[in-house]
Amino acid sequence: MDQLSTPKAGRPHGLGEILNDGYALTDHVVVDENHTFDGNNDVIEKLITGFKTFKEGVFKQKPELYDKLRVGQEPKIMMITCADSRVCPTMLHGLEAGEAFIVRNVANLVPPCEESGQHHGTSAAIEYAVTVLNVKNIIVMGHSSCGGIKALMSRDDFSGDFIGSWVQIGMPAKAKTLSLLGDKPFEQQCSFCEQEAVNLSLANLLTFPFIEERLQSGHLQIYGMHYDFVEGRLTSWRIEQKH
Ligand SMILES: [Zn+2]
């Protein structure tokens, strides 16, 4: 078996001490040209090999880009997409590092602006992208065969797990879908709801005062998209301000 690279000297494991008894942090290595694999985990080997390819390729070929990114980021785009592994926005849209601030969650849902609760990961990302990074475009992108939307459409009881309490944000989209397509097959309802859930998220974006303000002043544009990876089709639409 190959030797694992030497752990970076002096790097303590910090909060490793808060792990439950019986666990410890180990194999802390810096991936450099001398790094070799211990054969423990093929997936980690694939990730590290991918990183080495990136570092020798794109990273070295575009020094101007990566020099600029060292100083900071100025993305013009914020995207909210699903965590689904088949939806890969940087690859899909040909984006480079630094171009898009991306949040991925289950079913690409945006919750309404609310002060209650503690763990508003998506809302915190939206706040940072809009008020600190000053992105000019927010895109919420749904997709075909979304498991989160299937959960929303198929469940009656949303208690008892994290998925249920999260996807029930989309209840107004489910209600609209059932009112219009209540007699249609389940797959057709889900497909419709995927876009309705994006519309709901667009409406929820407007409940954040700093977003509505920038939309009205023309400093921000808000788009919905739906990516159908079965048909290879992208649909795009946007919020227009009525005069
Ligand atoms: Zn999904």
Side-chain angles (χ1 to χ4, degrees), residues 10 17 29 41 58 63 66 79 120 125 141 146 148 158 161 188 200 203 205 214 222 227 241:
E17 68 212 26
V29 295
N41 188 327
V58 176
Y66 286 93
M79 291 194 78
H120 291 300
M141 186 169 76
C146 182
F158 293 95
D161 62 8
Q188 196 177 334
L200 173 69
L205 280 172
R214 284 167 173 78
I222 300 178
Y227 167 47
Q241 204 178 339

Side-chain angles (χ1 to χ4, degrees), residues 82 84 107-108 143 146-148:
C82 187
D84 191 300
N108 42 268
H143 69 97
C146 182

Side-chain angles (χ1 to χ4, degrees), residues 81-87 105-108 141-150 194 229:
T81 69
C82 187
D84 191 300
S85 63
R86 298 164 293 184
V87 180
N105 63 35
V106 172
N108 42 268
M141 186 169 76
H143 69 97
S144 54
S145 306
C146 182
I149 296 299
K150 278 197 178 77
E194 285 160 9
F229 52 70

Side-chain angles (χ1 to χ4, degrees), residues 7 31 39 47 84-85 104 119 121 139 144 154 184 197 210 232-233:
V31 177
L47 294 179
D84 191 300
S85 63
R104 300 181 67 166
H119 299 119
I139 295 118
S144 54
S154 62
K184 301 295 183 195
F210 51 82
R233 181 177 57 219

Side-chain angles (χ1 to χ4, degrees), residues 176-191:
K176 177 57 80 178
T177 300
L178 292 177
S179 75
L180 296 175
L181 281 80
D183 58 345
K184 301 295 183 195
F186 180 71
E187 290 301 320
Q188 196 177 334
Q189 291 176 354
C190 287
S191 181

